[in-house]
Amino acid sequence: MIVRDFNKLKDTDRAVSDAKWTSVRMLLADDGMGFSFHITTLQAGSEHTFHYKHHFESVYCMSGRGSITDLATGQTHEIKPGVMYALNENDKHTLRAEEELVMACCFNPPVTGKEVHREDGSYAPVEEFT
C-alpha cells in the first residue's frame, strides 16, 4: 500500500513548477502502478498549450474555472468543479484558467518525475528516461 500526504509532498522535489503552474507528483513510474497521479494547480489568468504526443492524460477539476480548447477541432469546453476531460487521442489543446484551477491528473504511461515540457508542449517519450 502506498499512502502519501499532498501537504508533505508539496515542499519536496515531487513538486514541479514554472511561473504559472505547479504539479505535485503523488505517484510516479517507479511506484509501479502503471500510471502517474498528480495534483496540478494553474494560476488564475494563465494559458497553457500542451500536446502530450507520448502520453494519455485524464484530468478532473477539483476547484476553479476555465476552459479547454481542442486545437484540432476548435471546440472549447468549460472546465469547472466536477468536469473531467481525457486526452485519449494525444489531443493538442489549450487550457485557460479564468480562476485558479486545481486539477487531479493521471498519465499513462506514467511520468518519471524528470520530464519538462518541450517547446511543442509535449513530454519526451518514456524510453528517454529509462
Side-chain angles (χ1 to χ4, degrees):
M1 179 181 295
I2 300 169
V3 177
R4 297 206 169 106
D5 183 337
F6 170 84
N7 295 303
K8 291 180 181 176
L9 292 180
K10 67 182 182 178
D11 296 319
T12 71
D13 62 355
R14 282 187 175 253
V16 177
S17 62
D18 78 2
K20 297 181 181 179
W21 60 265
T22 299
S23 181
V24 178
R25 277 76 187 274
M26 306 289 291
L27 290 173
L28 290 169
D30 64 4
D31 290 312
M33 295 291 296
F35 63 91
S36 57
F37 178 74
H38 317 195
I39 301 297
T40 301
T41 304
L42 294 94
Q43 179 182 331
S46 64
E47 183 174 303
H48 313 268
T49 297
F50 299 124
H51 188 192
Y52 297 119
K53 299 174 184 179
H54 312 288
H55 297 82
F56 295 112
E57 182 189 25
S58 65
V59 179
Y60 177 80
C61 180
M62 298 177 357
S63 66
R65 293 199 175 274
S67 64
I68 185 168
T69 301
D70 179 334
L71 295 178
T73 66
Q75 189 171 18
T76 298
H77 304 274
E78 181 181 14
I79 301 296
K80 61 184 179 182
V83 170
M84 185 277 305
Y85 64 86
L87 303 170
N88 62 323
E89 295 182 358
N90 304 104
D91 312 275
K92 186 174 183 179
H93 62 286
T94 297
L95 184 60
R96 293 172 195 83
E98 296 165 21
E99 302 171 1
E100 179 182 84
L101 284 171
V102 180
M103 315 284 265
C105 311
C106 290
F107 278 86
N108 182 13
V111 302
T112 65
K114 298 178 179 114
E115 293 84 356
V116 294
H117 287 103
R118 300 185 304 182
E119 190 173 309
D120 66 357
S122 71
Y123 287 146
V126 173
E127 302 82 53
E128 290 187 23
F129 295 98
T130 56

